[in-house]
Amino acid sequence: MSNTLQLSAEQRRQFDEDGFFLLEDALTPAEISELTTVIDALYAKYSVERNLGPHEAFQWRNVVALDPVFRRLIDHPKLLPLVVDLLGYNIQLRTSHLDVRPPVLPEVAQKPLGARDSFFPWHSDAPNFGWPLVEGVVPYMEMKIGYYLTDLTQHNSGAICVVRGSHKRPQKDADGNVIVDPQDIVEVNVRPGTALIWRTALLHCVTPNLSDHARKCLYYGYQPRWIRPSDYDHQEPAVLAGCTPVQRQLLGELGTGSHEYNGPDPLVHPVSRYWRPEDEDIPLKAWAEAQQ
Ligand SMILES: O=C(O)CCC(=O)C(=O)O
């Protein structure tokens, strides 16, 4: 692709240099309300089933398999062009999760932000045993979109914090301690409906939620299709039923619906369609070309 679909030069600069940018009003009030209704119902059900205390956080992984309302976000028209601009079209979802963080007790805020022994230590996302490093730095492997559904404009309301530019440098000292210059910490204090588009190699943590309301948000991680997802191997047929070819691709399948993952001659000449997709395997390519 020669041109970008939607990404501005300033967004590109921020994504490369800072490791993130914000998109306000990514979700409409109607979308926020629809998502929140489903999340509240899930939280009500699972907080009883899991015997969660009033201050305990609730997370659900592979949320796209849980309800069609979450599936619709994987190719949200405001965000998908940005994802394709930032990662190309041979991509899939790596993870999708919802997070509810009720207000915590004040003592939780006693530890320094992101401390090793705090409720949410600084980290960047990686599989067990880590990503390969190039001169101590994680190459660009994936990105995430955070959708924030509740008001996070106040300090210590449970917002994510990112360390500006930390994706571009080694992150630990010789003793294994995470290196964070306080001047680089950005607390993502945003209104409901804002999206955070970020590199998961950024160091991040979460502030204690000392507000009077639970923080509710969703994260969708995207990666090239030749990496394996973290939340699923293949999605269940019921999840894929009714999905568009683009959605099927993003859910890790071949856009055609074919199961010939190793090509038409897998015994003699196996060729992974994730490595070497034909155009019909990646409907996102035709979609992207049609946008231009
Ligand atoms: O709950 C948050 O905002 C942080 C989520 C997080 O650590 C992640 O998406 O990797």
Side-chain angles (χ1 to χ4, degrees), residues 192-233:
T194 304
L196 172 71
I197 296 97
W198 57 295
R199 295 180 185 241
T200 59
L202 274 184
L203 286 169
H204 56 282
C205 73
V206 169
T207 63
N209 182 3
L210 302 179
S211 77
D212 59 2
H213 58 274
R215 182 205 69 158
K216 299 167 198 170
C217 67
L218 291 155
Y219 285 98
Y220 287 68
Y222 297 84
Q223 59 180 187
R225 280 208 299 182
W226 35 264
I227 310 181
R228 296 189 67 77
S230 64
D231 291 2
Y232 64 95
D233 182 14

Side-chain angles (χ1 to χ4, degrees), residues 59 61 94 97 99 101 120 123 125 144 148 158-161 198 200 204-206 215 217 219:
Q59 184 180 75
R61 290 266 167 181
R94 190 266 283 177
H97 50 107
D99 293 85
R101 285 193 172 271
F120 208 107
H123 69 282
D125 292 358
K144 248 181 186 174
Y148 303 105
I160 191 172
C161 294
W198 57 295
T200 59
H204 56 282
C205 73
V206 169
R215 182 205 69 158
C217 67
Y219 285 98

